[in-house]
Amino acid sequence: QSTWGCIILERKKMQNISYCLEKLWKKEIIAEEEVKFLCENLKPIFMKESNVMKINSPVNVIGDLHGQYTDVLEMFKIGGNPPEVNCLFLGDFVDRGYHSVETISLICCLKLMYPDKVFLIRGNHESRLVSKVYGFYDECITKYGPDNLVWKYFTDVFDYFPISAVINDSIFAVHGGLSPSIHTLDQIRVLMRFSEIPQFGAFSDLLWSDPDDEEEGFRNSPRGAGFIFGSEIVNHFCQLNKLTHITRAHQLCMEGYQYLFEEKLSTIWSAPN
């Protein structure tokens, strides 16, 4: 009887996710209660994932989306939808664009439906402090009313997002970049991530830092968080951790991607407008 109860509950959960996906593919927002259901069911999935997820290719790697929902749908149209393809998102799902609600709802639905096919990394905009200033909070008020809890549900689940991934044991994927406090992947694995993004420290650096091809070491970032890092830092980190490449997002690239440091590092940008 207990087994049948679990089967029925699981079937109902999948039906709820399918219903939400059906609405989102039609560019409709899901209800506040559906957002709550989505976020509460995602937390135990994220809790099982490491700070450094292990992913095998083939996988589509996607950079900042920033609420540009029409472009997200076009991306899936061109690149394919899960479960036909594996997807790794490098963070910054929300803010700046006008459809952050739809964007984060869709990606979270796909993660819940296909947890072994869809992988999410936290970006610096997946935070209460940043998303309250750059658009996501106001969008939730506009679309759900002044007393809604949608922004709270999503920002609570952001605290559970993993920090990084390694593809094929050779490509390190992170939202921002490297940190002077982090030399090995094992140091990332032991970071306490289940919180708001701190203003300073290793966790913050991984989400805020940027590369510069005229730099060799580290220097303070003009962003006010994280660091600017150069070729020597990238080469040392890759050599120490037996990596061949670092891929990240976080910076605007007019062509959608950019290589630095003799193609040892790539930046991916997926928000064309």
Side-chain angles (χ1 to χ4, degrees), residues 131-270:
S131 69
K132 198 160 191 175
V133 175
Y134 286 92
F136 184 41
Y137 177 82
D138 290 334
E139 184 184 325
C140 291
I141 296 294
T142 300
K143 292 180 177 177
Y144 289 95
D147 299 321
N148 83 87
L149 294 174
V150 168
W151 180 78
K152 182 183 185 303
Y153 294 144
F154 277 124
T155 53
D156 284 352
V157 83
F158 290 163
D159 291 343
Y160 290 75
F161 282 20
I163 299 173
S164 63
V166 172
I167 305 168
N168 291 349
D169 295 322
S170 62
I171 301 172
F172 178 63
V174 69
H175 178 72
L178 301 178
S179 168
S181 303
I182 296 290
H183 304 286
T184 67
L185 295 177
D186 282 341
Q187 288 178 291
I188 302 176
R189 289 186 177 102
V190 298
L191 289 175
M192 211 300 287
R193 78 171 195 253
F194 300 102
S195 67
E196 174 68 350
I197 301 166
Q199 190 172 356
F200 304 105
F203 184 9
S204 174
D205 296 343
L206 293 167
L207 275 60
W208 279 95
S209 293
D210 297 294
D212 187 335
D213 58 358
E214 296 183 359
E215 191 70 35
E216 291 188 356
F218 280 109
R219 64 177 166 86
N220 289 331
S221 172
R223 293 182 185 267
F227 290 84
I228 303 297
F229 60 95
S231 57
E232 284 188 7
I233 302 301
V234 169
N235 288 332
H236 179 71
F237 186 83
C238 287
Q239 184 178 13
L240 195 60
N241 293 282
K242 299 180 180 178
L243 301 167
T244 60
H245 190 81
I246 296 172
T247 189
R248 40 89 67 178
H250 194 44
Q251 277 180 303
L252 171 65
C253 301
M254 296 305 294
E255 294 182 351
Y257 67 95
Q258 182 184 34
Y259 287 111
L260 290 177
F261 313 135
E262 299 180 344
E263 299 194 358
K264 199 89 172 181
L265 179 144
S266 59
T267 297
I268 301 173
W269 182 266
S270 305

Side-chain angles (χ1 to χ4, degrees), residues 33 74 95 99 147 159:
E33 281 302 309
E74 182 68 16
D95 289 336
H99 302 284
D147 299 321
D159 291 343

Side-chain angles (χ1 to χ4, degrees), residues 60-65 75-76 86-91 249 268 270:
N60 292 346
V61 182
I62 300 109
D64 293 32
L65 298 174
M75 177 195 67
F76 281 125
N86 299 328
C87 293
L88 170 61
F89 295 90
L90 300 180
I268 301 173
S270 305

